[in-house]
Each structure stands twice: as C-alpha cells, then as structure tokens.
Amino acid sequence: MVLDLKNLIGGRWQDAESGDKLDSINPANGEVIGTAPSSGTIDVDKAVEAATRAFKKWRLTPAPKRGEILFRAAELLVKHKEELGRLVTREMGKVLTEGLGDVQEAIDMAFYMAGEGRRLSGETIYSELPYKDCKSIRVPIGVFALITPWNFPTAIPAWKILPALISGNTVVFKPSSYTPLSAGRLVELIVEAGIPEGVVNLVHGTGDRIGGRLSTHPGVDGVSFTGSTAVGARLARLCSGLDKEISCEMGGKNPIIVMDDARLDLAIEGALWGGFGTSGQRCTAASRVIIHKKVYDEFVQRFTNAAKKLKSGDGLDPATHMGPLINESQMNKVLDYIETGKKEGARLATGGKRLIEGPLSKGFFIEPTIFEAKPEMRIAREEIFGPVVSLLKADGLEDAIDIANDVDYGLSASIYTQDVNNTAIAERDLEAGLVYINAPTIGAEIQLPFGGTKKSGLGRKEAGGRGGALDMFTKWKVVYRDFSGRLQRAQIDKD
Ligand code: UN1
C-alpha cells in the first residue's frame, strides 16, 4: 500500500499548495512506499504564520501541563513502537533492531522532556537592596524551524520537537524528504497526545526548495538543524545577522583508538558496531580506527575477517546485519570515495563493491569496506557516511591522539585500553564532544548533552542534562521586583 502523506499546518492536514509530490522509496528494494507533499515557499509561510499564532497561547500553557501532553505522547510512542520501528526500517533501511532503537530513543526523549515540565527552574537570589527581589527564569524563544536528516527518522525529530515544545515554543518541522513517512507518523502521534492546533506544523519537501526560506523566514526565531557540515555552514551563513538562534549538529570523522593493552575481542566487536552499524550512516560512526603498532597486524586481520562475515540485506530480515545506503546518490558518493581511497594508495583490505546478487540488485547495498590508510588521505579525513572504515597505525598513545585530533571534526571519539592512566589522558586530550572508554563512538544516551566541537557542531547542544537542549530552546529572563514604594538605586543607595 502506498501511503499518501500531507502537511500539517494550523491543525489541518493538507497537500502542498502546488499539489507537487515526492516519493518515499524503500532503499532495500527500490519500492515506492509513500508519497509526500513537495512543499514550496507558500506552504512554509502558512506554517510559520500558524506557528506564530499558536505561540501566543502555548507559551502561557503551564509547563507541567505541557509535560502531561508529552507524557501521553511518550505512551503513544510506546504503544506504536513496533509499527513505527518497522516503518523506519522500510523507509530508511537500518535493520529492525536499530529501527526499534531509533523509536526507543524518541520514547526516552519524550519521557525525559515530559518530566522537564515540572523541573524548568531558574534561580532566586537576594538583592543588595531591601524590599527588592530578583530571579531568573527560562522563557520560550518563539517559533522554531526544525530541519532533520534521514538517518534517525524518529529519534532526531523527537530530540528537537519535544524539548522545543516543553520549553513553550511552537515549531515548523521539515523532515528529510527521504523519510517523510516516519516523520509523519511521529507527528500524528504527538498531535494525538493533545498538542493544540498550530503548535506543531509539519512541512514536507526538499532542502533545496524550502530549507532556505524556512530558516531565514522573518517569523522564525530559532533554527535547529542536523545534517551535513556543508549544509549547516550554509544555513549559518544565511542566518547570520538575522537575529535568530541557530544550532547545527553536523558531520564527524570519529576515531576509535586501540591500544596495545586493549582487549582486542572487545575492540573488534566495538569497531564493527561503530563502523558498520546503520551501514556507517551515523554522524557518530567510527570511520577511523587508530591502532597501536604492536597490535596493528593482528587487529587488521581479525577485524577484516569479522567484517567479511557481516550479512547485507533487507533490514526486516532477522538474519541481516547491515542494511542498504539511503539512496542511489548516497551509494554513488560512497563508491566514489572508495575509488578515491584506491587512487590515493590505500590498501583495500576487504569490500569496496556494490552488492548486486539477486534481490540486492534492486537496493543500494555496499559491502563492508576496510582500508589500511594514512592520516593525510581524504578517506581518512572526510566524512563518507557509509560502511567504509580507515585503519591507521600509531606509535603510541600520544601519536594516536594526535592522529585522532588532526581532522576538522570533533563529534565522538573512543579508546580501548585496560590502563586507567591511558583513559585519563584520552579523556583529557581527545578533541570531541563525546568520549567513550572501552565502547565504540556510537550510542549516546538522551539524559546527557549531545553535540560536537570544531566542524561537528555549531551553537547549542542537544538532548538532556546541563548544557543540553533546554539551553537551545529557552532564553533566560531576569526579573527584579521592587516592593519598597520608593526609588531604590542599585550600586548607589546604602540602605
Ligand atoms: C546521529 O547519527 O546523527 O549516539 C545521531 C548515537 C545515537 C545518535 C546518533 N544515539 O549514535
């Protein structure tokens, strides 16, 4: 059955003004599974208007009441987890356990942010003057444009929509045009939980057609984007001087360091999961493994043998380890990088080809690919976003950390070692927003902030905890109240 999706604007499900449509395709077999509106600027303008109107009331809805709605959304997500997880797998390609994990991350965020409804706190503090009190409070920012990628079709939208809502903002959400079905279903459930009309607006379409308009719209007060560094940088340039909050989560070239004292079985398992989980299509994917020279040869051999055993296929098949790439152009981009790697003189240890046997020929599959590379090669420096891992040799810990840091990105980094001193040095010196010890670079949990440094992140971080998404979606207001009945002058009057 081909689902026919609509935009949601001001509480009304509707087609794009132009009537244009985009197909959603299952990347495992090329089947069209749904169509979504291909919106234009008119649709964006209508959605921003609806969000602006709805903000007036929503910001005054007490945060604990907003939280109650989010609790209901969390419960609906739990109820529909299986259905939504299968949809994620069909539309995005990741294996079903990961599709369900994607939804679980949305559920975690829903419960967490619902609880924030009763925790949104500031400070009260003594004034230097009698008969005067002072406090700081978090207040909503206004209308947020939320632009999300296809690799976590429910989790990343939930990371943005739910903290935006609990904070009292209204949103215009533009999901990736490759995963409209998952996004549409997520929004349906959030709205079913009792979100008032116009608070959440959904506009489907391509970044090319509406990304610029949405993020620069004068009615939009903040933009939260997750996607490539190139697009994030372009958005930041477009928005500069426009007086908007802007936060971008962008690319990564995340390293795993394997020390000579590491448990190699654990490191290999971690590098397989970090490098080839989600077919390498995570911003946190472990696309480099930096190995101590003493264990380098053994690691290369054992890791390569293990990667050769990974089975590619439809993510709904329980025997599948690795699903397809999201679409043909992404697949071709990855194949181009593989050619670049060969030309640069990297040694292809395994993989490197598109898989075209039997039913795989209809999808966009690439073998798990491993290169022995050098740090200066493009394949070891640029984000590939596919199942391609570069192995690099290091002389020792300091050298490994230098190699790890010598890229433009700084999202996630990991070290495998049994030596507590090594872990302390890695923790101190790795330039990354997230550091893992004896675990791969993927698998961040929602109760802590998520985001990177250098070209991986711009602006505020996402998710929970101190320094997380509430800082993105609220601003601080300071209130002084004078109840002396006379003019009291701070810094001047003595009593
Ligand atoms: C992303 O790839 O954009 O830590 C997000 C992880 C997931 C989130 C990844 N929890 O890998």
Side-chain angles (χ1 to χ4, degrees):
M1 189 183 71
V2 177
L3 287 164
D4 181 32
L5 292 183
K6 310 269 185 219
N7 287 334
L8 176 65
I9 299 177
R12 213 166 61 77
W13 294 95
Q14 53 195 272
D15 284 318
E17 204 60 45
S18 64
D20 292 352
K21 292 275 185 188
L22 281 165
D23 288 340
S24 171
I25 289 166
N26 181 337
N29 57 26
E31 268 171 29
V32 175
I33 54 177
T35 61
S38 175
S39 307
T41 50
I42 273 206
D43 307 296
V44 168
D45 291 355
K46 279 180 6 192
V48 174
E49 227 173 83
T52 307
R53 268 199 311 275
F55 178 64
K56 291 199 175 72
K57 255 182 139 174
W58 183 243
R59 80 180 182 90
L60 297 177
T61 305
K65 291 273 175 288
R66 301 197 289 252
E68 281 170 24
I69 301 177
L70 262 53
F71 271 120
R72 281 200 293 277
E75 280 156 7
L76 284 169
L77 287 169
V78 170
K79 191 167 150 206
H80 293 275
K81 178 175 171 181
E82 182 73 26
E83 168 212 333
L84 209 47
R86 294 184 86 81
L87 190 57
V88 166
T89 292
R90 284 178 69 213
E91 189 173 43
M92 185 274 163
K94 61 174 76 175
V95 294
L96 184 57
T97 43
E98 290 187 37
L100 293 168
D102 196 310
V103 180
Q104 186 58 48
E105 207 161 338
I107 293 170
D108 295 343
M109 191 60 96
F111 279 118
Y112 183 94
M113 287 299 161
E116 288 297 300
R118 287 191 186 266
R119 272 193 300 263
L120 277 181
S121 59
E123 278 184 330
T124 58
I125 191 159
Y126 285 107
S127 162
E128 63 188 52
L129 293 161
Y131 299 101
K132 185 178 174 192
D133 58 19
C134 341
K135 67 178 176 186
S136 63
I137 47 171
R138 286 185 186 273
V139 294
I141 291 173
V143 175
F144 260 88
L146 308 178
I147 304 178
T148 60
W150 43 263
N151 67 334
F152 278 83
T154 63
I156 295 180
W159 288 9
K160 297 189 192 298
I161 296 172
L162 301 168
L165 295 184
I166 200 66
S167 304
N169 304 287
T170 56
V171 307
V172 178
F173 166 39
K174 191 207 91 60
S176 164
S177 52
Y178 300 120
T179 50
L181 299 183
S182 315
R185 191 69 187 114
L186 175 76
V187 167
E188 269 175 16
L189 293 173
I190 291 176
V191 167
E192 191 184 326
I195 295 287
E197 284 180 5
V199 171
V200 174
N201 302 278
L202 167 67
V203 179
H204 290 288
T206 62
D208 283 352
R209 257 178 102 168
I210 54 173
R213 176 64 182 173
L214 177 56
S215 42
T216 58
H217 195 293
V220 165
D221 303 290
V223 182
S224 172
F225 165 82
T226 298
S228 72
T229 297
V231 174
R234 198 168 342 129
L235 280 185
R237 268 197 308 278
L238 274 177
C239 292
S240 83
L242 293 184
D243 208 17
K244 294 183 198 307
E245 295 292 320
I246 169 148
S247 289
C248 300
E249 283 305 330
M250 303 178 287
K253 193 69 189 176
N254 313 292
I256 291 179
I257 294 175
V258 181
M259 291 302 292
D260 51 345
D261 66 346
R263 268 187 51 193
L264 283 195
D265 55 338
L266 206 62
I268 288 163
E269 205 184 357
L272 282 178
W273 173 230
F276 300 121
T278 331
S279 309
Q281 300 174 110
R282 291 195 191 213
C283 55
T284 50
S287 48
R288 297 183 291 157
V289 186
I290 305 166
I291 308 140
H292 193 290
K293 62 184 176 195
K294 283 198 196 144
V295 291
Y296 181 83
D297 290 339
E298 185 185 350
F299 184 93
V300 173
Q301 202 192 4
R302 287 174 59 186
F303 180 53
T304 305
N305 287 342
K308 282 183 183 159
K309 296 200 183 93
L310 295 177
K311 191 177 168 309
S312 295
D314 189 322
L316 290 177
D317 177 350
T320 298
H321 297 116
M322 214 174 80
L325 281 291
I326 183 70
N327 55 35
E328 193 169 4
S329 78
Q330 190 61 25
M331 178 183 71
N332 288 335
K333 186 183 143 202
V334 175
L335 290 170
D336 282 351
Y337 265 113
I338 292 171
E339 285 315 303
T340 304
K342 288 186 201 158
K343 281 198 205 109
E344 286 178 308
R347 187 186 84 82
L348 184 64
T350 185
K353 288 194 299 295
R354 177 176 182 186
L355 288 162
I356 45 168
E357 295 87 56
L360 297 187
S361 65
K362 296 210 187 89
F364 312 117
F365 294 91
I366 295 183
E367 295 174 306
T369 299
I370 300 173
F371 278 110
E372 286 188 77
K374 295 269 178 292
E376 62 278 8
M377 293 176 175
R378 281 182 58 203
I379 53 163
R381 309 187 72 75
E382 296 176 16
E383 185 176 55
I384 298 176
F385 227 63
V388 182
V389 176
S390 289
L391 306 182
L392 304 160
K393 195 191 280 186
D395 288 337
L397 181 60
E398 205 180 315
D399 188 33
I401 293 176
D402 283 347
I403 295 170
N405 289 344
D406 185 27
V407 290
D408 291 338
Y409 297 105
L411 180 55
S412 178
S414 130
I415 182 165
Y416 280 82
T417 178
Q418 304 271 58
D419 181 336
V420 68
N421 297 342
N422 287 343
T423 68
I425 291 168
E427 173 186 323
R428 187 190 64 191
D429 293 343
L430 283 168
E431 292 169 4
L434 311 160
V435 172
Y436 288 89
I437 294 158
N438 291 325
T441 54
I442 66 176
E445 302 179 27
I446 64 92
Q447 66 274 27
L448 295 136
F450 180 92
T453 58
K454 303 202 281 191
K455 289 211 159 102
S456 294
L458 187 151
R460 308 276 187 186
K461 289 187 195 286
E462 309 220 71
R466 197 182 300 171
L470 293 183
D471 286 348
M472 183 189 301
F473 290 110
T474 61
K475 56 189 173 191
W476 287 103
K477 179 180 271 185
V478 171
V479 181
Y480 297 100
R481 177 168 44 195
D482 192 309
F483 48 99
S484 69
R486 61 193 160 91
L487 175 67
Q488 298 190 99
R489 295 173 305 172
Q491 292 91 38
I492 294 172
D493 291 340
K494 295 289 175 244
D495 50 23

